[in-house]
Coordinates of all heavy atoms in Angstrom, one line a residue:
A858 N 171.1 40.4 19.2 CA 170.1 40.2 20.2 C 170.6 40.3 21.6 O 169.9 40.8 22.5 CB 169.6 38.8 20.0
L859 N 171.9 40.0 21.9 CA 172.4 40.2 23.2 C 172.6 41.6 23.6 O 172.5 42.0 24.8 CB 173.8 39.5 23.3 CG 173.8 38.0 23.4 CD1 175.2 37.4 23.4 CD2 173.0 37.5 24.7
K860 N 172.8 42.5 22.6 CA 173.0 43.9 23.0 C 171.7 44.5 23.5 O 171.7 45.5 24.3 CB 173.5 44.7 21.8 CG 175.0 44.5 21.5 CD 175.4 45.5 20.5 CE 176.9 45.4 20.3 NZ 177.5 46.4 19.4
T861 N 170.6 44.0 23.1 CA 169.3 44.6 23.5 C 168.6 43.8 24.6 O 167.6 44.1 25.1 CB 168.3 44.7 22.3 OG1 168.1 43.4 21.8 CG2 168.9 45.7 21.3
N862 N 169.3 42.7 25.0 CA 168.8 41.8 26.1 C 168.5 42.5 27.4 O 169.4 43.3 27.8 CB 169.8 40.6 26.3 CG 169.4 39.8 27.5 OD1 168.3 39.2 27.6 ND2 170.3 39.9 28.5
K863 N 167.4 42.3 28.0 CA 167.1 42.9 29.3 C 166.7 41.8 30.3 O 166.3 42.2 31.4 CB 165.9 43.9 29.1 CG 166.3 45.1 28.3 CD 165.2 46.1 28.2 CE 165.4 47.2 27.4 NZ 165.9 48.0 26.8
T864 N 166.9 40.6 30.0 CA 166.5 39.5 31.0 C 167.6 38.4 31.2 O 167.6 37.9 32.3 CB 165.2 38.8 30.6 OG1 165.4 38.2 29.3 CG2 164.0 39.8 30.6
L865 N 168.4 38.1 30.3 CA 169.4 37.1 30.4 C 170.4 37.4 31.5 O 171.1 38.5 31.4 CB 170.1 36.8 29.1 CG 171.0 35.6 29.0 CD1 170.2 34.3 29.1 CD2 171.8 35.6 27.7
E866 N 170.6 36.6 32.5 CA 171.5 36.8 33.6 C 172.8 35.9 33.5 O 173.8 36.4 34.0 CB 170.8 36.6 34.9 CG 169.7 37.5 35.2 CD 169.0 37.3 36.5 OE1 169.1 36.2 37.0 OE2 168.2 38.2 36.9
Q867 N 172.7 34.7 32.9 CA 173.8 33.8 32.8 C 173.9 33.3 31.4 O 172.9 33.0 30.8 CB 173.6 32.6 33.8 CG 173.5 33.1 35.2 CD 173.3 31.9 36.1 OE1 174.0 30.9 36.0 NE2 172.3 32.0 37.0
L868 N 175.1 33.3 30.9 CA 175.4 32.8 29.5 C 176.5 31.8 29.5 O 177.7 32.2 29.7 CB 175.7 34.0 28.6 CG 175.9 33.8 27.2 CD1 174.6 33.2 26.6 CD2 176.3 35.1 26.5
Y869 N 176.2 30.5 29.4 CA 177.1 29.5 29.5 C 177.7 29.2 28.1 O 177.1 28.7 27.2 CB 176.5 28.2 30.0 CG 176.1 28.3 31.5 CD1 175.0 28.9 31.9 CD2 177.0 27.8 32.4 CE1 174.6 29.0 33.2 CE2 176.7 27.9 33.8 CZ 175.5 28.5 34.2 OH 175.2 28.6 35.5
L870 N 179.0 29.6 27.9 CA 179.6 29.5 26.6 C 180.9 28.7 26.7 O 181.8 28.7 25.8 CB 179.9 30.9 26.0 CG 178.7 31.6 25.6 CD1 179.1 33.1 25.2 CD2 177.9 31.0 24.5
D871 N 181.2 28.0 27.8 CA 182.4 27.3 28.0 C 182.5 26.1 27.0 O 181.5 25.6 26.5 CB 182.5 26.8 29.4 CG 181.3 26.1 30.0 OD1 180.2 26.5 29.6 OD2 181.4 25.2 30.8
D872 N 183.7 25.8 26.6 CA 184.1 24.7 25.7 C 183.4 24.8 24.3 O 182.9 23.8 23.8 CB 183.6 23.3 26.4 CG 184.3 23.1 27.7 OD1 185.6 23.2 27.7 OD2 183.7 22.9 28.7
N873 N 183.4 26.0 23.7 CA 182.8 26.2 22.4 C 183.8 26.6 21.3 O 183.4 26.9 20.2 CB 181.7 27.2 22.5 CG 180.4 26.6 23.0 OD1 179.9 25.7 22.3 ND2 180.0 27.0 24.2
Q874 N 185.1 26.8 21.7 CA 186.1 27.2 20.7 C 185.7 28.5 20.0 O 185.7 28.5 18.7 CB 186.3 26.0 19.7 CG 186.6 24.7 20.3 CD 187.8 24.7 21.3 OE1 188.8 25.3 21.0 NE2 187.7 24.1 22.4
L875 N 185.3 29.5 20.7 CA 184.8 30.7 20.1 C 185.8 31.5 19.4 O 185.5 32.2 18.4 CB 184.1 31.6 21.2 CG 183.0 30.9 22.0 CD1 182.5 31.8 23.1 CD2 181.8 30.6 21.0
G876 N 187.0 31.7 19.9 CA 188.0 32.4 19.3 C 188.0 33.9 19.6 O 187.0 34.4 20.2
D877 N 189.0 34.7 19.1 CA 189.1 36.1 19.4 C 187.9 37.0 18.9 O 187.5 37.9 19.6 CB 190.4 36.7 18.9 CG 191.6 36.4 19.9 OD1 191.3 36.2 21.0 OD2 192.7 36.4 19.4
Q878 N 187.5 36.7 17.7 CA 186.4 37.6 17.1 C 185.2 37.5 18.0 O 184.6 38.6 18.3 CB 186.1 37.2 15.7 CG 187.3 37.5 14.7 CD 187.7 39.0 14.7 OE1 188.6 39.4 15.4 NE2 187.0 39.8 14.0
T879 N 184.8 36.3 18.3 CA 183.6 36.2 19.2 C 183.8 36.7 20.6 O 182.9 37.4 21.1 CB 183.1 34.7 19.2 OG1 182.9 34.2 17.9 CG2 181.8 34.6 20.0
G880 N 185.0 36.5 21.1 CA 185.3 37.1 22.4 C 185.3 38.6 22.4 O 184.8 39.2 23.3
K881 N 185.7 39.2 21.3 CA 185.6 40.7 21.2 C 184.2 41.2 21.1 O 183.8 42.2 21.6 CB 186.5 41.2 20.0 CG 188.0 41.0 20.3 CD 188.9 41.7 19.3 CE 188.5 41.6 17.9 NZ 189.5 42.1 16.9
A882 N 183.4 40.4 20.4 CA 182.0 40.7 20.2 C 181.2 40.6 21.6 O 180.4 41.5 21.9 CB 181.3 39.8 19.2
L883 N 181.6 39.6 22.3 CA 181.0 39.5 23.7 C 181.4 40.6 24.6 O 180.7 41.1 25.4 CB 181.4 38.2 24.3 CG 180.7 37.0 23.8 CD1 181.3 35.7 24.3 CD2 179.2 37.0 24.2
A884 N 182.7 41.1 24.4 CA 183.2 42.2 25.2 C 182.3 43.5 24.9 O 182.0 44.2 25.8 CB 184.6 42.5 24.9
E885 N 182.0 43.7 23.7 CA 181.1 44.8 23.3 C 179.8 44.7 24.0 O 179.2 45.7 24.4 CB 180.9 44.9 21.8 CG 182.2 45.4 21.0 CD 182.6 46.8 21.5 OE1 181.7 47.7 21.5 OE2 183.7 47.0 21.8
V886 N 179.2 43.5 24.1 CA 177.9 43.3 24.8 C 178.1 43.7 26.2 O 177.2 44.3 26.8 CB 177.4 41.8 24.6 CG1 176.3 41.5 25.5 CG2 177.1 41.6 23.1
L887 N 179.2 43.2 26.8 CA 179.4 43.5 28.3 C 179.5 44.9 28.6 O 179.2 45.4 29.7 CB 180.6 42.7 28.8 CG 180.4 41.2 28.9 CD1 181.8 40.6 29.3 CD2 179.4 40.9 29.9
K888 N 180.0 45.8 27.7 CA 180.1 47.2 27.9 C 178.8 47.8 28.3 O 178.8 48.8 29.1 CB 180.7 47.9 26.7 CG 182.2 47.7 26.5 CD 182.7 48.4 25.3 CE 184.1 48.2 25.1 NZ 184.6 48.9 23.9
T889 N 177.7 47.3 27.8 CA 176.4 47.9 28.1 C 175.4 47.0 28.8 O 174.4 47.5 29.2 CB 175.7 48.4 26.7 OG1 175.6 47.3 25.9 CG2 176.6 49.5 26.1
S890 N 175.7 45.8 29.0 CA 174.8 44.9 29.7 C 174.6 45.2 31.1 O 175.5 45.5 31.8 CB 175.3 43.4 29.6 OG 174.5 42.6 30.3
K891 N 173.3 45.2 31.5 CA 173.0 45.5 32.9 C 172.3 44.3 33.5 O 171.7 44.4 34.6 CB 172.1 46.7 33.0 CG 172.8 48.0 32.6 CD 172.0 49.2 32.8 CE 172.8 50.4 32.4 NZ 172.0 51.6 32.5
T892 N 172.4 43.1 32.9 CA 171.7 41.9 33.4 C 172.7 40.7 33.5 O 172.5 40.0 34.5 CB 170.5 41.5 32.5 OG1 171.0 41.3 31.2 CG2 169.4 42.5 32.6
L893 N 173.6 40.6 32.6 CA 174.5 39.4 32.6 C 175.4 39.5 33.8 O 176.1 40.5 34.0 CB 175.3 39.3 31.4 CG 174.7 38.8 30.1 CD1 175.5 39.0 28.9 CD2 174.4 37.3 30.3
F894 N 175.4 38.5 34.7 CA 176.3 38.5 35.8 C 177.3 37.4 35.9 O 178.2 37.3 36.7 CB 175.6 38.7 37.2 CG 174.7 37.5 37.6 CD1 175.3 36.5 38.3 CD2 173.4 37.5 37.3 CE1 174.5 35.4 38.6 CE2 172.6 36.4 37.6 CZ 173.2 35.4 38.3
Y895 N 177.0 36.3 35.0 CA 177.9 35.2 35.1 C 178.1 34.6 33.6 O 177.2 34.3 32.9 CB 177.2 34.1 35.9 CG 178.0 32.8 36.0 CD1 179.2 32.7 36.7 CD2 177.6 31.6 35.3 CE1 180.0 31.6 36.7 CE2 178.4 30.5 35.4 CZ 179.6 30.4 36.1 OH 180.3 29.3 36.1
I896 N 179.4 34.6 33.2 CA 179.7 34.1 31.9 C 181.0 33.2 32.0 O 182.1 33.7 32.1 CB 180.0 35.2 30.9 CG1 178.8 36.1 30.8 CG2 180.3 34.6 29.5 CD1 179.1 37.3 29.9
P897 N 180.8 31.9 31.9 CA 182.0 31.0 31.8 C 182.5 30.9 30.4 O 181.7 30.6 29.5 CB 181.5 29.7 32.3 CG 180.0 29.7 32.1 CD 179.6 31.1 32.1
L898 N 183.7 31.4 30.2 CA 184.3 31.4 28.8 C 185.5 30.5 28.8 O 186.4 30.7 27.9 CB 184.6 32.8 28.4 CG 183.5 33.7 28.1 CD1 184.0 35.2 27.9 CD2 182.7 33.3 26.9
D899 N 185.6 29.5 29.7 CA 186.8 28.7 29.7 C 186.8 27.8 28.5 O 185.8 27.4 27.9 CB 186.8 27.8 31.0 CG 185.5 27.2 31.4 OD1 184.5 27.9 31.3 OD2 185.5 26.0 31.7
N900 N 188.0 27.4 28.1 CA 188.3 26.5 27.0 C 187.7 27.0 25.7 O 186.9 26.2 25.0 CB 187.9 25.1 27.3 CG 188.6 24.6 28.6 OD1 189.8 24.7 28.7 ND2 187.8 24.1 29.5
N901 N 188.0 28.2 25.2 CA 187.4 28.8 24.0 C 188.4 29.3 23.0 O 188.0 30.0 22.1 CB 186.3 29.8 24.4 CG 185.0 29.3 24.6 OD1 184.4 28.6 23.7 ND2 184.4 29.4 25.8
Q902 N 189.6 29.0 23.2 CA 190.6 29.5 22.3 C 190.7 31.0 22.2 O 191.0 31.6 21.2 CB 190.5 28.9 20.9 CG 190.6 27.4 20.8 CD 192.0 26.9 21.2 OE1 193.0 27.5 20.7 NE2 192.0 25.9 22.0
L903 N 190.4 31.7 23.3 CA 190.4 33.1 23.4 C 191.9 33.6 23.5 O 192.6 33.0 24.4 CB 189.6 33.7 24.5 CG 188.1 33.4 24.4 CD1 187.4 33.9 25.7 CD2 187.5 33.9 23.1
G904 N 192.3 34.5 22.7 CA 193.7 35.0 22.8 C 193.7 36.4 23.4 O 192.8 36.9 24.0
D905 N 194.9 37.1 23.2 CA 195.1 38.4 23.8 C 194.1 39.4 23.3 O 193.7 40.3 24.0 CB 196.5 38.8 23.6 CG 197.5 38.1 24.5 OD1 197.0 37.4 25.4 OD2 198.7 38.3 24.3
E906 N 193.7 39.4 22.0 CA 192.8 40.3 21.5 C 191.5 40.3 22.3 O 190.9 41.3 22.7 CB 192.5 40.1 20.0 CG 193.6 40.4 19.1 CD 193.2 40.2 17.6 OE1 192.1 40.6 17.3 OE2 194.0 39.7 16.9
A907 N 190.9 39.1 22.5 CA 189.7 39.0 23.2 C 189.9 39.4 24.7 O 189.1 40.0 25.3 CB 189.2 37.6 23.1
G908 N 191.1 39.0 25.2 CA 191.4 39.3 26.6 C 191.4 40.8 26.9 O 190.9 41.3 27.9
K909 N 192.1 41.5 26.0 CA 192.2 43.0 26.1 C 190.8 43.6 26.0 O 190.5 44.5 26.7 CB 193.1 43.5 25.1 CG 194.6 43.2 25.4 CD 195.5 43.7 24.3 CE 196.9 43.2 24.4 NZ 197.8 43.5 23.3
A910 N 190.0 43.1 25.1 CA 188.6 43.6 24.9 C 187.8 43.4 26.1 O 187.0 44.3 26.6 CB 188.0 43.0 23.7
L911 N 187.9 42.2 26.7 CA 187.1 41.9 27.9 C 187.6 42.8 29.1 O 186.8 43.3 29.9 CB 187.3 40.4 28.3 CG 186.5 39.5 27.4 CD1 187.0 38.1 27.6 CD2 185.0 39.6 27.6
C912 N 188.9 43.0 29.2 CA 189.4 43.9 30.2 C 188.9 45.3 30.1 O 188.5 45.9 31.0 CB 190.9 43.9 30.1 SG 191.8 44.6 31.6
A913 N 188.8 45.8 28.9 CA 188.2 47.1 28.6 C 186.7 47.2 28.9 O 186.3 48.2 29.5 CB 188.4 47.5 27.1
A914 N 186.0 46.1 28.7 CA 184.6 46.1 29.0 C 184.4 46.1 30.5 O 183.3 46.7 30.9 CB 184.0 44.8 28.4
L915 N 185.3 45.6 31.2 CA 185.1 45.6 32.7 C 185.2 47.0 33.3 O 184.8 47.2 34.4 CB 186.1 44.6 33.4 CG 185.9 43.2 33.1 CD1 187.0 42.3 33.7 CD2 184.5 42.7 33.6
K916 N 185.8 47.9 32.5 CA 185.9 49.3 33.0 C 184.5 49.9 33.2 O 184.3 50.7 34.0 CB 186.8 50.1 32.1 CG 188.2 49.7 32.1 CD 189.0 50.5 31.2 CE 190.5 50.1 31.2 NZ 191.3 50.8 30.2
T917 N 183.6 49.5 32.3 CA 182.3 50.1 32.4 C 181.2 49.2 32.9 O 180.1 49.6 33.4 CB 181.8 50.6 31.0 OG1 181.8 49.5 30.1 CG2 182.7 51.7 30.5
N918 N 181.4 47.9 32.8 CA 180.4 46.9 33.3 C 180.4 46.8 34.8 O 181.5 46.5 35.4 CB 180.6 45.5 32.6 CG 179.6 44.5 33.1 OD1 179.6 44.1 34.2 ND2 178.8 44.1 32.2
K919 N 179.3 47.0 35.5 CA 179.3 47.0 36.9 C 178.4 45.8 37.4 O 178.0 45.7 38.6 CB 178.8 48.3 37.5 CG 179.7 49.5 37.1 CD 181.1 49.3 37.6 CE 182.0 50.4 37.2 NZ 183.4 50.1 37.1
W920 N 177.9 45.0 36.5 CA 177.0 43.9 36.8 C 177.6 42.5 36.9 O 177.2 41.7 37.7 CB 175.8 43.9 35.8 CG 175.1 45.2 35.8 CD1 175.4 46.3 35.1 CD2 174.0 45.6 36.7 NE1 174.5 47.3 35.4 CE2 173.7 46.9 36.4 CE3 173.3 44.9 37.7 CZ2 172.7 47.6 37.1 CZ3 172.3 45.6 38.4 CH2 172.0 46.9 38.0
L921 N 178.6 42.3 36.1 CA 179.3 41.0 36.0 C 179.9 40.7 37.3 O 180.7 41.5 37.9 CB 180.3 41.0 34.9 CG 180.8 39.6 34.4 CD1 179.7 38.8 33.8 CD2 181.9 39.8 33.4
T922 N 179.7 39.5 37.9 CA 180.3 39.0 39.1 C 181.3 37.9 38.9 O 182.1 37.7 39.8 CB 179.2 38.6 40.1 OG1 178.5 37.4 39.6 CG2 178.3 39.7 40.5
S923 N 181.2 37.2 37.8 CA 182.2 36.1 37.6 C 182.5 35.9 36.1 O 181.6 35.9 35.3 CB 181.6 34.8 38.2 OG 182.5 33.7 38.0
L924 N 183.8 35.8 35.8 CA 184.2 35.5 34.4 C 185.3 34.5 34.4 O 186.3 34.7 35.0 CB 184.8 36.9 33.9 CG 185.2 36.9 32.4 CD1 184.1 36.5 31.5 CD2 185.9 38.2 32.1
N925 N 185.0 33.3 33.9 CA 185.9 32.2 33.8 C 186.6 32.2 32.5 O 186.0 32.0 31.5 CB 185.2 30.9 34.1 CG 186.1 29.7 34.3 OD1 187.3 29.8 33.8 ND2 185.7 28.7 34.9
L926 N 187.9 32.4 32.5 CA 188.7 32.4 31.3 C 189.8 31.3 31.3 O 190.7 31.4 30.5 CB 189.4 33.7 31.1 CG 188.4 34.9 30.8 CD1 189.1 36.3 30.9 CD2 187.8 34.8 29.4
A927 N 189.7 30.3 32.2 CA 190.7 29.3 32.3 C 190.8 28.5 30.9 O 189.8 28.3 30.2 CB 190.4 28.3 33.4
G928 N 191.9 28.0 30.6 CA 192.1 27.1 29.4 C 192.1 27.9 28.1 O 191.8 27.2 27.1
N929 N 192.3 29.2 28.1 CA 192.4 29.9 26.9 C 193.8 30.2 26.6 O 194.7 29.8 27.2 CB 191.5 31.2 27.0 CG 190.1 30.9 26.9 OD1 189.6 30.5 25.8 ND2 189.3 31.1 28.0
R930 N 194.1 31.0 25.5 CA 195.4 31.3 25.0 C 195.9 32.7 25.4 O 196.5 33.5 24.6 CB 195.5 31.2 23.5 CG 195.2 29.8 23.0 CD 195.2 29.6 21.5 NE 194.1 30.4 20.9 CZ 194.2 31.4 20.1 NH1 195.4 31.8 19.7 NH2 193.2 32.0 19.6
L931 N 195.6 33.1 26.6 CA 196.0 34.5 27.1 C 197.4 34.5 27.6 O 197.9 33.6 28.3 CB 195.0 34.9 28.3 CG 193.5 34.8 28.0 CD1 192.7 35.1 29.3 CD2 193.2 35.9 26.9
S932 N 198.1 35.6 27.2 CA 199.5 35.8 27.6 C 199.5 36.1 29.1 O 198.5 36.6 29.7 CB 200.2 36.8 26.8 OG 199.6 38.1 27.1
E933 N 200.6 36.0 29.8 CA 200.8 36.4 31.2 C 200.5 37.8 31.4 O 199.8 38.2 32.4 CB 202.2 36.0 31.7 CG 202.4 34.5 31.8 CD 201.4 33.8 32.7 OE1 201.1 34.3 33.8 OE2 200.9 32.8 32.2
G934 N 200.8 38.7 30.4 CA 200.5 40.1 30.5 C 199.1 40.4 30.6 O 198.6 41.2 31.4
V935 N 198.3 39.8 29.7 CA 196.9 40.0 29.6 C 196.2 39.4 30.9 O 195.3 40.0 31.4 CB 196.3 39.4 28.3 CG1 194.7 39.4 28.4 CG2 196.8 40.2 27.1
K936 N 196.7 38.3 31.3 CA 196.1 37.7 32.5 C 196.3 38.6 33.7 O 195.4 38.8 34.5 CB 196.8 36.4 32.9 CG 196.4 35.2 32.0 CD 197.1 33.9 32.4 CE 196.8 32.8 31.5 NZ 197.5 31.5 31.9
E937 N 197.5 39.2 33.8 CA 197.8 40.2 34.9 C 196.9 41.4 34.8 O 196.4 41.9 35.8 CB 199.3 40.6 34.8 CG 199.6 41.5 36.0 CD 199.5 40.9 37.3 OE1 199.6 39.7 37.5 OE2 199.1 41.7 38.3
S938 N 196.6 41.9 33.6 CA 195.7 43.0 33.4 C 194.3 42.7 33.8 O 193.7 43.5 34.5 CB 195.7 43.5 31.9 OG 196.9 44.0 31.5
L939 N 193.9 41.5 33.5 CA 192.5 41.1 33.9 C 192.5 40.9 35.4 O 191.5 41.3 36.0 CB 192.2 39.7 33.2 CG 191.7 39.9 31.8 CD1 191.9 38.5 31.1 CD2 190.3 40.4 31.7
L940 N 193.5 40.4 36.0 CA 193.5 40.2 37.5 C 193.5 41.6 38.2 O 192.8 41.8 39.2 CB 194.7 39.4 38.0 CG 194.6 37.9 37.7 CD1 196.0 37.2 37.9 CD2 193.5 37.3 38.4
Q941 N 194.2 42.5 37.7 CA 194.3 43.9 38.2 C 192.9 44.6 38.1 O 192.4 45.2 39.0 CB 195.4 44.8 37.6 CG 196.7 44.3 37.9 CD 197.0 44.4 39.4 OE1 196.6 45.3 40.1 NE2 197.6 43.3 39.9
M942 N 192.3 44.4 36.9 CA 190.9 45.0 36.7 C 189.9 44.3 37.6 O 189.1 45.0 38.2 CB 190.5 44.7 35.2 CG 189.2 45.3 34.9 SD 189.0 47.1 35.2 CE 190.2 47.7 34.0
A943 N 190.1 43.0 37.9 CA 189.1 42.3 38.8 C 189.3 42.8 40.2 O 188.3 43.0 40.9 CB 189.4 40.8 38.7
K944 N 190.5 43.2 40.6 CA 190.7 43.7 42.0 C 189.9 45.0 42.2 O 189.4 45.3 43.2 CB 192.2 43.9 42.2 CG 192.9 42.7 42.5 CD 194.4 43.0 42.7 CE 195.2 41.7 42.9 NZ 196.6 42.0 43.1
G945 N 189.9 45.8 41.2 CA 189.2 47.1 41.2 C 187.8 47.1 40.9 O 187.1 48.1 41.0
H946 N 187.3 46.0 40.4 CA 185.9 45.9 39.9 C 184.9 45.7 41.0 O 185.1 44.8 41.8 CB 185.8 44.7 38.9 CG 184.5 44.6 38.2 ND1 183.4 44.1 38.7 CD2 184.2 45.0 36.9 CE1 182.4 44.1 37.8 NE2 182.8 44.7 36.7
K947 N 184.0 46.6 41.1 CA 182.9 46.5 42.1 C 181.6 46.2 41.5 O 181.0 47.0 40.8 CB 182.8 47.8 42.9 CG 184.1 48.2 43.7 CD 184.4 47.2 44.8 CE 185.6 47.5 45.5 NZ 186.4 46.5 45.9
S948 N 181.1 45.0 41.7 CA 179.8 44.6 41.1 C 178.7 45.2 41.9 O 178.7 45.2 43.1 CB 179.8 43.1 41.1 OG 178.5 42.7 40.8
V949 N 177.6 45.6 41.2 CA 176.4 46.0 41.9 C 175.8 44.9 42.7 O 175.2 45.1 43.8 CB 175.4 46.5 40.8 CG1 174.1 46.8 41.4 CG2 176.0 47.8 40.2
W950 N 175.9 43.6 42.2 CA 175.3 42.5 42.8 C 175.9 42.1 44.1 O 175.3 41.9 45.1 CB 175.3 41.3 41.9 CG 174.4 41.5 40.7 CD1 174.7 41.6 39.4 CD2 172.9 41.5 40.7 NE1 173.6 41.8 38.6 CE2 172.5 41.7 39.4 CE3 172.0 41.4 41.7 CZ2 171.2 41.8 39.0 CZ3 170.7 41.4 41.3 CH2 170.3 41.6 40.0
S951 N 177.3 42.0 44.1 CA 177.9 41.4 45.3 C 179.0 42.3 45.9 O 179.5 41.9 46.9 CB 178.6 40.0 44.8 OG 179.6 40.3 43.9
G952 N 179.3 43.4 45.3 CA 180.3 44.2 45.8 C 181.7 43.7 45.4 O 182.7 44.4 45.6
G953 N 181.8 42.5 44.8 CA 183.1 42.0 44.4 C 183.0 41.4 43.0 O 182.0 41.4 42.4
F954 N 184.1 40.8 42.6 CA 184.2 40.2 41.3 C 185.2 39.1 41.3 O 186.2 39.2 42.0 CB 184.7 41.3 40.3 CG 184.8 40.8 38.9 CD1 183.7 40.6 38.1 CD2 186.0 40.5 38.3 CE1 183.8 40.1 36.8 CE2 186.1 40.0 37.0 CZ 185.0 39.8 36.3
E955 N 184.9 38.0 40.6 CA 185.8 36.9 40.6 C 186.2 36.6 39.2 O 185.3 36.5 38.3 CB 185.0 35.7 41.2 CG 185.7 34.4 41.0 CD 184.9 33.2 41.5 OE1 184.6 33.2 42.7 OE2 184.5 32.4 40.7
V956 N 187.5 36.4 38.9 CA 187.9 36.0 37.6 C 188.8 34.8 37.8 O 189.6 34.7 38.7 CB 188.7 37.2 36.9 CG1 190.0 37.5 37.6 CG2 189.1 36.8 35.5
D957 N 188.6 33.8 37.0 CA 189.3 32.5 37.0 C 190.1 32.4 35.8 O 189.6 32.4 34.7 CB 188.3 31.3 37.2 CG 189.0 30.0 37.3 OD1 190.2 30.0 37.5 OD2 188.3 29.0 37.2
L958 N 191.4 32.4 35.9 CA 192.3 32.3 34.8 C 193.0 30.9 34.8 O 193.8 30.6 34.1 CB 193.4 33.4 34.8 CG 192.8 34.8 34.7 CD1 193.8 35.8 34.9 CD2 192.2 35.0 33.3

């Protein structure tokens, strides 16, 4: 349902213990989403697999303005990749992008 969504702008998923598989599924949604601009994913047991998938999704997603990943199980290397991606990410909405690790 999220892949075909054309109206949902914010998706609050913080504190749900989603894990890597769900994190990777959300990354797939973000690759094509043109409406979601805010997704707090803090405290969800997301690891490097999900972090890498989200980083890859940011290469094509130009709508997301904020992604909160604090309190997850991301390695320093993946965190650095996400921060670097965030620096180069230009959102259609605000011209900038914020990532909280």
Side-chain angles (χ1 to χ4, degrees):
L859 283 176
K860 282 190 175 186
T861 58
N862 168 64
K863 293 184 182 345
T864 57
L865 188 66
E866 295 178 345
Q867 300 179 46
L868 184 59
Y869 290 83
L870 293 172
D871 47 327
D872 301 308
N873 278 296
Q874 309 305 315
L875 299 176
D877 276 338
Q878 291 303 96
T879 303
K881 291 189 319 187
L883 284 169
E885 285 300 311
V886 169
L887 286 177
K888 285 181 181 178
T889 57
S890 174
K891 293 184 179 175
T892 58
L893 282 170
F894 67 86
Y895 179 70
I896 304 177
L898 290 172
D899 46 311
N900 302 313
N901 271 302
Q902 298 297 316
L903 299 178
D905 285 352
E906 286 183 44
K909 289 175 185 176
L911 289 165
C912 195
L915 292 177
K916 291 179 183 177
T917 57
N918 180 293
K919 302 301 178 204
W920 299 91
L921 196 66
T922 61
S923 183
L924 181 63
N925 186 340
L926 293 167
N929 284 293
R930 299 177 292 117
L931 302 172
S932 69
E933 291 303 313
V935 170
K936 287 180 182 180
E937 183 60 33
S938 295
L939 283 160
L940 288 171
Q941 290 302 316
M942 182 58 64
K944 286 180 184 177
H946 190 276
K947 298 294 182 217
S948 168
V949 171
W950 291 109
S951 67
F954 180 76
E955 173 185 293
V956 64
D957 182 10
L958 298 170

